[in-house]
Amino acid sequence: MKVGIADTTFARVDMGRHAIDELKKHASIAIERYTVPGIKDLPVACKKLLEERGCALVIALGMPGGAEKDRMCAHEASQGLMLAQLLTNKHIIEVFVHEDEAEDDRTLAWLAERRAREHAINAVKILLAPRQLEKEAGTGQRQGFPDAGPARQ
Amino acid sequence: MKVGIADTTFARVDMGRHAIDELKKHASIAIERYTVPGIKDLPVACKKLLEERGCALVIALGMPGGAEKDRMCAHEASQGLMLAQLLTNKHIIEVFVHEDEAEDDRTLAWLAERRAREHAINAVKILLAPRQLEKEAGTGQRQGFPDAGPARQ
Amino acid sequence: MKVGIADTTFARVDMGRHAIDELKKHASIAIERYTVPGIKDLPVACKKLLEERGCALVIALGMPGGAEKDRMCAHEASQGLMLAQLLTNKHIIEVFVHEDEAEDDRTLAWLAERRAREHAINAVKILLAPRQLEKEAGTGQRQGFPDAGPARQ
Amino acid sequence: MKVGIADTTFARVDMGRHAIDELKKHASIAIERYTVPGIKDLPVACKKLLEERGCALVIALGMPGGAEKDRMCAHEASQGLMLAQLLTNKHIIEVFVHEDEAEDDRTLAWLAERRAREHAINAVKILLAPRQLEKEAGTGQRQGFPDAGPARQ
Amino acid sequence: MKVGIADTTFARVDMGRHAIDELKKHASIAIERYTVPGIKDLPVACKKLLEERGCALVIALGMPGGAEKDRMCAHEASQGLMLAQLLTNKHIIEVFVHEDEAEDDRTLAWLAERRAREHAINAVKILLAPRQLEKEAGTGQRQGFPDAGPARQ
């Protein structure tokens, strides 16, 4: 089974490397990496990984800036990732870390690594352990920051 | 007849369980469940349920957070659910409960259960009792909070 | 010739009934009605009316609430109606009355009826009297509230 | 060669007439006109002109109102015109004049005519004189209001 | 190998010329240029370059104005460029310079040239040196303004 890693040169943390490292810990999976300049280049890269390079799933990693224009770029990229999934019937796990989610570079690097790793585990579950996800349904899981947990009645 | 249940580990209430319970009360329907990490993973899961797993309709349940970024995620997920319906000519009932619709955890859990159950009934009507929906046309039905009722002239 | 009427149980006025009544005044047209819970369920209902039930045109009637989230739902529904038209090459006349367009229930009911009826007439013109529309090009027609009229130089 | 003119009864200026008049000054072109009620009806009308009535290009003319809801309608119409182009591989020249671009009716009528005529000339260039457009690349051309001109270093 | 250059007469800098000049420095590439009036005309031009004129990749250059309406136009154009990529499985490098990114004409011209050139280099890397992009993954590259650089832990 092959998993695609699509990432950018724009991001300020090598999230692709962390995702690949985590994937290899959990499963014997071949990796196909595709690095593009920015997040708006990710959707077609993901679609090519799914349709032309035999990937069963792609993890798309990006780091939008904190300005208004950057948020719009992230929105357009997300719409593209959505469409790419619906045109291929395959999952693309979007792992975006917004620069303004962290107060300083150190936290940003920590958050980006952690989110990339936790989403890599999600990717493995989608492909190989769907019943595990079903057990966690409605339990308030988060990737990066601590889990919110279930709302108790 | 098979109905799909697509839900998330991000949600803080197990809405899928409530929807399934309600469906089974009203009709003899087979259930196919597909749990994904977050709401943006729902659209392709729904499309796969409709196209690859033989579902006649899918109920997509999610719980977006209360921040601006979460609202954008919900919007992108909704656009994906819309497109998935138009590409398959089948209904996907979107059941989203925004975390900021409820003042506390207790209310959130109550609202999520109630909305999931009421939409499950809607799903049954769409599939098995379309004339019942026609009778309720323009009567101000709501799911979760009380009905608004008709505007009288 | 068959015209589809897609409407919702969420709306607080039975706009579908008014549209059907008006259509029957102006032309000998068969009606196919499809009532769904909310406006986001309308696009796939319209597409099914056009592709599976032989309608030449659909009138989609809905009544979005006045909150920010409702406006977003209306936007997503509108995007779906647009896509459904472009995938079928057939018209869907969107008749949305926003709850906050009227000050009270009485005005809301009046506005909803009037707009439904005037758009039903538009539907007849599109199907049977396109030259009539051409004569009215650029004359500031409105549906519901009074016409704006042409801007004179 | 045939050019489509899609316009609305909602607009307060007969922009279609101005566009047709201008087209006929510059080239021997057959005209196919299609008038619809509002701007959200334009995209499918354009697609039908391109796919069912043999037009090589369509000019879509509309006049959105000045309220927030009108801007959203214009946005949805623009997204539809974009998709219609991408599904047909043909140009649709969008000529929208927002009511709030002009201070009074007189200016509105002037602006709408001028913009319609200048875009009609653009349509002729796209079809018959692409090298002319290439010569004007990056020169700050505007339609309606005065040209911005090039930014000099 | 052929690369498409899609640009506009609306832009106030001849970014297409700079991109072509830079491309020719780095690789022996045939150029196909397609100039349109505005940024919303770019997506279909790009799709035609990819599907009808044999381009392997297109660089789409535009300069949105600084007003709210211009930002919406840029958003719609970006959505179109995204869709064009997903329908063709080929890259379109979006090079937009917003007029309000620069304080004066001189800076605008400088920024537009620099961004066009740096994206032209990205285009060459995507086509001919994908491993070079992979080496730069997560290093905070920017086009135009100085690189942000990596976030160090």
Side-chain angles (χ1 to χ4, degrees):
Chain A
M1 185 172 288
K2 207 196 297 191
V3 166
I5 296 291
D7 61 349
T8 69
T9 66
F10 186 97
R12 300 183 55 219
V13 177
D14 188 354
M15 300 160 76
R17 183 169 59 84
H18 296 308
I20 292 168
D21 182 68
E22 192 69 31
L23 283 173
K24 291 194 174 293
K25 282 188 197 167
H26 294 271
S28 174
I29 287 173
I31 304 292
E32 183 86 15
R33 189 168 184 174
Y34 194 145
T35 304
V36 293
I39 47 172
K40 297 216 275 192
D41 305 309
L42 285 174
V44 74
C46 291
K47 189 148 176 280
K48 288 163 80 79
L49 284 168
L50 293 170
E51 291 188 333
E52 300 171 3
R53 302 198 195 170
C55 294
L57 174 153
V58 174
I59 303 176
L61 308 115
M63 186 176 284
E68 175 63 29
K69 280 191 186 75
D70 298 307
R71 271 192 289 278
M72 189 54 98
C73 284
H75 174 48
E76 292 155 0
S78 291
Q79 290 180 314
L81 294 175
M82 186 65 73
L83 180 54
Q85 290 176 83
L86 294 173
L87 293 177
T88 59
N89 273 15
K90 290 183 183 164
H91 281 282
I92 298 171
I93 308 294
E94 179 189 305
V95 188
F96 281 4
V97 176
H98 292 253
E99 252 193 288
D100 57 5
E101 284 187 84
E103 285 171 4
D104 51 41
D105 271 26
R106 194 191 184 103
T107 314
L108 185 66
W110 169 85
L111 177 63
E113 174 172 350
R114 191 169 156 132
R115 190 169 290 163
R117 289 188 182 277
E118 297 196 19
H119 272 300
I121 296 172
N122 279 338
V124 173
K125 288 182 186 166
I126 287 174
L127 289 174
L128 302 173
R131 292 307 141 209
Q132 180 56 34
L133 284 170
E134 197 176 312
K135 281 182 202 161
E136 297 169 22
T139 59
Q141 301 296 310
R142 297 293 180 271
Q143 291 78 36
F145 293 120
D147 292 340
R152 307 203 184 270
Q153 210 158 2
Chain B
M1 186 173 288
K2 208 195 298 191
V3 165
I5 297 291
D7 61 351
T8 70
T9 67
F10 186 98
R12 300 183 55 217
V13 177
D14 189 354
M15 300 159 76
R17 184 170 59 84
H18 297 309
I20 291 168
D21 182 67
E22 192 69 31
L23 282 173
K24 290 195 175 293
K25 282 188 197 167
H26 294 272
S28 174
I29 287 173
I31 303 293
E32 183 86 14
R33 190 169 183 174
Y34 194 145
T35 305
V36 292
I39 46 172
K40 298 215 274 191
D41 305 308
L42 285 173
V44 74
C46 292
K47 189 148 176 279
K48 288 164 79 78
L49 284 167
L50 294 170
E51 291 187 332
E52 299 171 4
R53 303 197 194 169
C55 295
L57 174 152
V58 175
I59 303 176
L61 307 115
M63 186 176 283
E68 175 63 28
K69 279 191 185 75
D70 298 307
R71 271 194 289 279
M72 188 55 98
C73 284
H75 173 49
E76 292 155 0
S78 291
Q79 290 179 314
L81 294 174
M82 186 65 73
L83 180 54
Q85 291 176 82
L86 294 173
L87 293 177
T88 59
N89 273 14
K90 291 182 183 165
H91 281 282
I92 299 171
I93 308 294
E94 179 189 303
V95 188
F96 281 4
V97 176
H98 291 253
E99 253 194 286
D100 57 4
E101 284 187 85
E103 283 171 6
D104 51 42
D105 272 25
R106 195 192 183 102
T107 314
L108 186 66
W110 169 85
L111 176 63
E113 174 173 350
R114 192 170 156 131
R115 191 168 290 161
R117 289 188 183 277
E118 297 196 19
H119 272 301
I121 297 173
N122 278 337
V124 173
K125 287 182 187 166
I126 287 174
L127 288 173
L128 302 173
R131 291 307 141 210
Q132 180 58 33
L133 284 171
E134 196 176 313
K135 281 182 202 161
E136 297 169 23
T139 59
Q141 302 295 309
R142 296 293 180 270
Q143 291 78 35
F145 293 119
D147 292 340
R152 306 202 186 268
Q153 211 157 1
Chain C
M1 186 172 289
K2 206 195 298 192
V3 166
I5 297 290
D7 61 350
T8 70
T9 67
F10 186 97
R12 300 183 55 216
V13 177
D14 189 354
M15 299 159 76
R17 182 170 61 84
H18 296 309
I20 292 168
D21 182 68
E22 192 69 32
L23 282 173
K24 290 194 175 293
K25 281 188 199 168
H26 294 273
S28 173
I29 287 173
I31 303 292
E32 183 85 15
R33 190 169 183 173
Y34 195 145
T35 304
V36 292
I39 47 172
K40 297 215 275 193
D41 305 308
L42 285 173
V44 74
C46 292
K47 189 147 176 280
K48 287 164 80 78
L49 285 168
L50 294 169
E51 292 187 332
E52 299 171 5
R53 303 197 194 170
C55 295
L57 175 152
V58 175
I59 302 177
L61 307 114
M63 186 177 284
E68 176 63 28
K69 279 191 186 74
D70 298 307
R71 271 193 289 279
M72 189 56 96
C73 285
H75 173 48
E76 291 155 0
S78 291
Q79 290 180 314
L81 294 175
M82 186 64 74
L83 180 53
Q85 292 176 81
L86 293 173
L87 293 176
T88 59
N89 273 13
K90 291 182 183 166
H91 282 282
I92 299 172
I93 308 294
E94 179 189 304
V95 187
F96 281 4
V97 176
H98 292 253
E99 252 194 287
D100 58 4
E101 284 187 85
E103 285 171 5
D104 51 41
D105 271 26
R106 194 192 184 102
T107 314
L108 186 66
W110 168 84
L111 177 62
E113 173 172 350
R114 190 169 157 133
R115 191 170 289 164
R117 289 188 183 276
E118 296 196 20
H119 272 301
I121 296 173
N122 278 337
V124 173
K125 286 182 186 166
I126 287 174
L127 288 173
L128 303 173
R131 291 306 140 211
Q132 180 58 32
L133 284 171
E134 196 176 314
K135 280 183 200 160
E136 296 169 25
T139 59
Q141 301 295 310
R142 297 293 180 270
Q143 290 78 35
F145 293 119
D147 292 340
R152 306 201 186 272
Q153 210 156 1
Chain D
M1 186 172 289
K2 207 196 295 192
V3 166
I5 297 291
D7 61 351
T8 70
T9 66
F10 186 98
R12 300 183 55 219
V13 177
D14 189 353
M15 298 159 76
R17 182 170 61 85
H18 297 309
I20 292 167
D21 182 68
E22 192 70 31
L23 282 173
K24 290 194 175 293
K25 280 188 196 167
H26 294 272
S28 174
I29 287 173
I31 303 291
E32 184 86 15
R33 190 169 184 174
Y34 194 144
T35 305
V36 292
I39 47 172
K40 297 215 275 192
D41 305 309
L42 285 173
V44 73
C46 292
K47 190 147 176 281
K48 288 164 79 77
L49 284 168
L50 293 170
E51 291 187 333
E52 300 171 4
R53 303 198 194 168
C55 294
L57 175 153
V58 174
I59 303 176
L61 307 115
M63 186 176 284
E68 176 62 28
K69 279 192 186 74
D70 297 308
R71 270 192 290 278
M72 189 56 96
C73 284
H75 173 49
E76 292 155 359
S78 291
Q79 290 181 314
L81 294 174
M82 186 64 73
L83 180 54
Q85 292 177 81
L86 293 174
L87 293 176
T88 59
N89 273 13
K90 290 182 182 165
H91 282 282
I92 299 172
I93 307 294
E94 179 190 304
V95 188
F96 282 5
V97 176
H98 291 254
E99 252 194 287
D100 58 4
E101 283 187 85
E103 285 171 4
D104 52 41
D105 271 26
R106 194 192 184 104
T107 314
L108 187 66
W110 169 84
L111 177 63
E113 173 172 350
R114 191 169 155 133
R115 191 170 289 163
R117 289 188 182 276
E118 297 195 19
H119 272 301
I121 296 173
N122 278 337
V124 173
K125 286 182 186 167
I126 287 173
L127 289 173
L128 303 173
R131 291 307 140 209
Q132 179 58 33
L133 284 170
E134 196 176 313
K135 280 182 201 161
E136 297 170 24
T139 59
Q141 301 295 310
R142 296 294 180 269
Q143 291 77 36
F145 292 118
D147 292 339
R152 308 204 184 269
Q153 210 156 2
Chain E
M1 185 172 288
K2 207 196 293 192
V3 167
I5 297 291
D7 62 349
T8 70
T9 67
F10 186 97
R12 299 183 55 220
V13 177
D14 189 353
M15 299 159 76
R17 182 170 60 84
H18 296 309
I20 292 168
D21 183 68
E22 192 69 30
L23 282 173
K24 291 195 174 293
K25 281 188 197 169
H26 294 271
S28 174
I29 286 174
I31 303 292
E32 184 86 15
R33 190 169 184 174
Y34 194 145
T35 305
V36 293
I39 47 173
K40 297 215 274 192
D41 305 308
L42 284 174
V44 74
C46 292
K47 189 148 177 281
K48 288 164 79 79
L49 284 168
L50 293 170
E51 291 187 333
E52 300 171 3
R53 302 198 194 170
C55 295
L57 175 153
V58 174
I59 303 176
L61 307 115
M63 186 176 284
E68 176 63 28
K69 280 193 186 73
D70 297 307
R71 270 192 291 277
M72 189 55 97
C73 284
H75 173 49
E76 291 155 0
S78 291
Q79 290 180 314
L81 294 174
M82 187 64 73
L83 180 54
Q85 291 176 81
L86 293 173
L87 293 177
T88 59
N89 273 13
K90 290 183 183 165
H91 282 282
I92 299 171
I93 307 295
E94 179 190 304
V95 188
F96 282 5
V97 176
H98 292 253
E99 252 194 288
D100 57 4
E101 283 187 84
E103 285 171 5
D104 52 41
D105 272 26
R106 193 191 185 105
T107 314
L108 187 67
W110 169 85
L111 177 62
E113 173 172 351
R114 191 169 155 132
R115 191 170 289 163
R117 289 188 183 277
E118 297 196 19
H119 272 301
I121 296 173
N122 278 338
V124 173
K125 288 182 186 166
I126 287 174
L127 289 174
L128 303 173
R131 292 306 141 209
Q132 179 57 33
L133 284 170
E134 197 176 312
K135 280 183 202 159
E136 297 169 24
T139 59
Q141 301 295 309
R142 297 293 181 270
Q143 292 77 36
F145 293 118
D147 292 340
R152 308 205 184 269
Q153 210 157 3

